[in-house]
Amino acid sequence: RRLVLKYLAVEPMTDFELADRTGWQQTSIGKRRGECAQAGWVAVVWANGAKLARPAPSGSAALVWEITDAGRAKLREIEG
């Protein structure tokens, strides 16, 4: 979860982009990002009234995630 928060604090990303940056498998980082979303630490980026998505390696749409204020607070707590 710390890695998800750390990387999303720099810039919004898809699960695939998070996997590339962290070296984790997409399914593993996606699970951690899902836990962060349930906790309210990350949220989908909205643009022009729609959820923002970018192409995944398969060509399908992948949602773009960003850290929330609660996520920034949690990251500060974790990193001390």
Side-chain angles (χ1 to χ4, degrees), residues 12 32 35 79:
R32 300 297 81 76
E35 293 167 358
E79 294 192 330

Side-chain angles (χ1 to χ4, degrees), residues 15-49:
D15 287 351
F16 294 96
E17 292 164 342
L18 279 167
D20 283 345
R21 301 275 170 73
T22 63
W24 285 36
Q25 296 218 1
Q26 184 273 331
T27 52
S28 296
I29 202 72
K31 287 180 185 178
R32 300 297 81 76
R33 194 264 317 133
E35 293 167 358
C36 290
Q38 285 182 333
W41 301 334
V42 302
V44 172
V45 176
W46 286 78
N48 301 318

Side-chain angles (χ1 to χ4, degrees), residues 3-20:
L3 281 178
V4 170
L5 296 175
K6 182 177 177 177
Y7 281 89
L8 292 182
V10 175
E11 66 180 307
M13 293 183 215
T14 67
D15 287 351
F16 294 96
E17 292 164 342
L18 279 167
D20 283 345

Side-chain angles (χ1 to χ4, degrees), residues 6 14 19 30 46 52 60-61 65 67-69 72:
K6 182 177 177 177
T14 67
W46 286 78
L52 184 62
S60 62
W65 297 87
I67 193 169
T68 64
D69 289 342
R72 289 185 192 284

